[in-house]
Amino acid sequence: MKADSLAPAPPKGARADWTIDQGWQDYTAEDHQVWLTLYERQAALLPGRACDPFLKGLEALDLHGLGIPDFAKLNRKLGALTGWSVVAVPGLVPDEVFFDHLAHRRFPAGCFIRKADQLDYLQEPDVFHDVFGHVPMLTDPVFADYMQAYGEGGLRAMKLGRLHNLARLYWYTVEFGLLETPQGLRIYGAGIVSSRGESVFSLEDPSPNRLGFDLIRVMRTPYRIDDYQQVYFVLPFLQRLLDDTLQDFGPVYAKLAQTTDIPIEAITAADKIFTRGTQAYARSDGLKQSS
Ligand code: PHE
Ligand code: FE
């Protein structure tokens, strides 16, 4: 971490870069069972829904195993494939700490696992979201480079006061991105593949808009963290992420400073429309209604 950074100090027991030991031997049988239950549910849903790089990554990393993966073993496979590693952190970490890890090809993962009565929706990422959701895509060379570049870009966006815009890019790609394939739309976003409900909703529900990915458009669109998304952005192919983001964002941020946000459910004349959503789910109060 940089000496001039104003990041809060790490919690007690964590290292200066906020990492901790995973403590794999301390997981209980019940913890491993939660992983296995979540794993089985997603493994049944994702063929034909998740994109090939995700499914291949899942296979290559052998993530079902005996329950919650041991990061040390996982890192031997992941490191050999793309030079990425997973590091354990206590929970959410400050932005600059997060970006610095990404810029060095380290993915910070929470190591706690949700309880058996919280299988369906969590706002704080646990090890299932972080590892099952995020790590398979890090086996893809293009996506692996994108994530590293994003970390570097994050540090820069903070200095330029544009983090709110860059965070939307992460949200609508890394967390909730869809990919166009000859077989139809497929999921690559970690927030979707780690959620049973959203794995179906994002592709099949008539409610959300599904729009073509456009860098500036995405960075003008707010997002919600409390329920399924109202809009998903569709990439024509993964390389497009790198092609669009390797450019200097200085002029991009300057342009953004001249624009206003686009309301979350809006469709603009410039949008490529895959689905014009009904927004019925969002108007029905969504998850709040069922709880
Ligand atoms: N190219 C961006 C910049 O100049 C950095 C970046 C790369 C941001 C990849 C997001 C993703 O700031
Ligand atoms: Fe995530």
Side-chain angles (χ1 to χ4, degrees), residues 180 185 209-214 217 231-236 240 267-276:
E180 189 179 3
L185 299 188
N209 296 329
R210 297 179 186 87
L211 307 174
F213 176 86
D214 176 88
R217 195 309 178 194
V231 55
Y232 298 92
F233 291 97
V234 181
L235 276 180
R240 175 73 187 276
I267 296 181
T268 73
D271 285 324
K272 173 172 179 181
I273 303 173
F274 289 84
T275 310
R276 185 181 288 278

Side-chain angles (χ1 to χ4, degrees), residues 145-154 156-157 160 166 169 215 241-242 244-251 253:
D145 286 354
Y146 171 69
M147 287 290 276
Q148 177 185 353
Y150 187 94
E152 291 159 3
R156 184 171 177 218
L160 299 175
L166 194 73
L169 178 64
L215 183 69
L241 262 184
L242 258 188
D244 283 13
T245 53
L246 285 180
Q247 66 177 301
D248 177 4
F249 277 19
Y253 292 142

Side-chain angles (χ1 to χ4, degrees), residues 16-34:
D17 67 357
W18 284 66
T19 62
I20 56 175
D21 289 330
Q22 182 191 12
W24 186 79
Q25 58 296 331
D26 297 334
Y27 292 120
T28 64
E30 196 189 337
D31 291 336
H32 287 299
Q33 189 51 53
V34 169

